[in-house]
Amino acid sequence: MNFTVGFKPLLGDAHSMDNLEKQLICPICLEMFSKPVVILPCQHNLCRKCANDVFQASNPLWQSRGSTTVSSGGRFRCPSCRHEVVLDRHGVYGLQRNLLVENIIDIYKQESSRPLHSKAEQHLMCEEHEEEKINIYCLSCEVPTCSLCKVFGAHKDCEVAPLPTIYKRQKSELSDGIAMLVAGNDRVQAVITQMEEVCQTIEDNSRRQKQLLNQRFESLCAVLEERKGELLQALAREQEEKLQRVRGLIRQYGDHLEASSKLVESAIQSMEEPQMALYLQAKELINKVGAMSKVELAGRPEPGYESMEQFTVRVEHVAEMLRTIDFQPGASGEEEEVAPDGEEGSAGPEEERPDGP
């Protein structure tokens, strides 16, 4: 049994009433027109009170109704179309009332005040028995029907039940279903909230572990920098010692060379002496030349003295060891905290051997 036709007038009336209500809304207070309703020259309607408020706002110096001072009128713009409305000395009280709209408002309020179920009952009539109300529910066909359909009509062999009973039952089922959906939604929302908290915890833990990782690698780099400085100092000391020794030998050889050159110059001058008696008096010079030729200088640096290869550092195995650094799933990030005896936590595996292998 089809009841769509029976419900169409009700649905149409409800839709028409909604449309009518939209047309009865004041554009200023956004509520239904309150009487008296005035019509503007542009054919738009306003509550007189709303029109007066707009007029007073546009003409603050205009005297209100009842004042002893005679005013020359004023003007304001329609809030719907912005058309300029010019008023005489009576102000908005000089505007014409729209009695048609006021009557429509009265009719609308009367129709709206009627109980909804009474309107619906007028349309819940059986199509086959037009004067019979729909008052039972056919459990076999799962459709509402009337008593005559059960007695004489198509549902005489079907199992039926009172319409209010089925109505309450299905309403209860729907309510239970809604409650289950709401409870399910609450559970889903709780799971979503938990997963959002997990995401936040993951971000916090990752940020913390990144900070710890940076700190440990920075401490490892500090150990490498410290050891590099120590090795560079040792290399500089060895360089200074060798340079001082070689420069000392250079000074000794230079002094000997200078003395020998002066003695050679003196000997050459003596050999140029033409007087044999005077020449023979230079025997002391001969002794000095002989002694100078027999002087033994300090030893020279041994071969390979200038080499610095003993300061070669091999880091291939250390680099290979550093490449094996990896995360330790079982390690805790708290191992670098202060030790119980008040000292700082022990250094990591890379920091325990600052001198290297």
Side-chain angles (χ1 to χ4, degrees), residues 14 17 28 45 56 93 110 120 124 135 143 157 167 176 180 192 220 250 283 290 330 357:
M17 293 293 286
I28 298 179
N45 299 291
Q56 293 288 346
Y93 293 92
Q110 291 176 2
L124 290 175
N135 56 2
V143 293
D157 297 327
Y167 168 78
D176 294 341
M180 293 178 62
I192 292 175
L220 181 60
I250 290 174
K283 188 175 182 179

Side-chain angles (χ1 to χ4, degrees), residues 211-256:
Q211 292 176 353
L212 291 175
L213 185 64
N214 287 330
Q215 292 175 1
R216 293 183 178 181
F217 271 86
E218 287 174 0
S219 60
L220 181 60
C221 293
V223 171
L224 293 176
E225 287 293 332
E226 181 182 358
R227 186 55 182 165
K228 183 180 73 172
E230 294 174 354
L231 296 179
L232 289 175
Q233 289 179 1
L235 178 59
R237 287 194 299 269
E238 182 69 13
Q239 173 188 346
E240 187 63 25
E241 291 176 2
K242 288 189 174 185
L243 289 176
Q244 287 181 359
R245 181 187 173 191
V246 174
R247 287 168 181 167
L249 292 176
I250 290 174
R251 285 193 297 271
Q252 291 181 10
Y253 277 84
D255 294 342
H256 177 76

Side-chain angles (χ1 to χ4, degrees), residues 77-275:
R77 291 189 178 276
C78 172
S80 298
C81 64
R82 308 305 298 168
H83 177 76
E84 188 176 48
V85 180
V86 180
L87 303 179
D88 57 13
R89 60 187 181 85
H90 299 289
V92 296
Y93 293 92
L95 292 173
Q96 183 179 0
R97 290 179 60 178
N98 194 335
L99 300 178
L100 176 61
V101 173
E102 293 180 4
N103 293 334
I104 293 175
I105 292 174
D106 294 337
I107 295 173
Y108 174 83
K109 290 181 177 180
Q110 291 176 2
E111 291 294 326
S112 300
S113 62
R114 292 183 182 179
L116 181 61
H117 63 86
S118 62
K119 298 178 183 179
E121 289 175 355
Q122 298 176 2
H123 298 273
L124 290 175
M125 309 299 290
C126 180
E127 289 185 350
E128 296 182 6
H129 310 92
E130 297 180 355
E131 296 182 358
E132 289 293 323
K133 296 180 181 180
I134 303 298
N135 56 2
I136 60 175
Y137 185 83
C138 178
L139 300 176
S140 303
C141 302
E142 296 184 348
V143 293
T145 184
C146 69
S147 301
L148 291 181
C149 287
K150 169 60 180 171
V151 178
F152 305 106
H155 302 282
K156 61 182 179 179
D157 297 327
C158 299
E159 183 180 359
V160 297
L163 191 64
T165 303
I166 305 300
Y167 168 78
K168 293 180 180 179
R169 181 193 303 172
Q170 291 190 3
K171 194 171 184 179
S172 177
E173 292 177 357
L174 182 59
S175 178
D176 294 341
I178 292 174
M180 293 178 62
L181 285 177
V182 172
N185 292 342
D186 292 340
R187 290 193 295 271
V188 172
Q189 183 61 46
V191 173
I192 292 175
T193 302
Q194 291 177 356
M195 289 190 291
E196 290 176 349
E197 293 176 354
V198 169
C199 291
Q200 184 63 39
T201 304
I202 291 173
E203 292 178 355
D204 296 339
N205 291 339
S206 298
R207 188 182 305 108
R208 177 176 175 273
Q209 291 305 119
K210 288 177 182 179
Q211 292 176 353
L212 291 175
L213 185 64
N214 287 330
Q215 292 175 1
R216 293 183 178 181
F217 271 86
E218 287 174 0
S219 60
L220 181 60
C221 293
V223 171
L224 293 176
E225 287 293 332
E226 181 182 358
R227 186 55 182 165
K228 183 180 73 172
E230 294 174 354
L231 296 179
L232 289 175
Q233 289 179 1
L235 178 59
R237 287 194 299 269
E238 182 69 13
Q239 173 188 346
E240 187 63 25
E241 291 176 2
K242 288 189 174 185
L243 289 176
Q244 287 181 359
R245 181 187 173 191
V246 174
R247 287 168 181 167
L249 292 176
I250 290 174
R251 285 193 297 271
Q252 291 181 10
Y253 277 84
D255 294 342
H256 177 76
L257 179 60
E258 184 179 0
S260 178
S261 297
K262 291 181 179 180
L263 188 58
V264 169
E265 185 179 353
S266 299
I268 292 174
Q269 291 178 358
S270 177
M271 290 181 65
E272 293 177 354
E273 180 61 40
Q275 300 292 331

Side-chain angles (χ1 to χ4, degrees), residues 66-78:
S67 174
T68 57
T69 305
V70 178
S71 176
S72 60
R75 60 187 65 198
F76 69 97
R77 291 189 178 276
C78 172

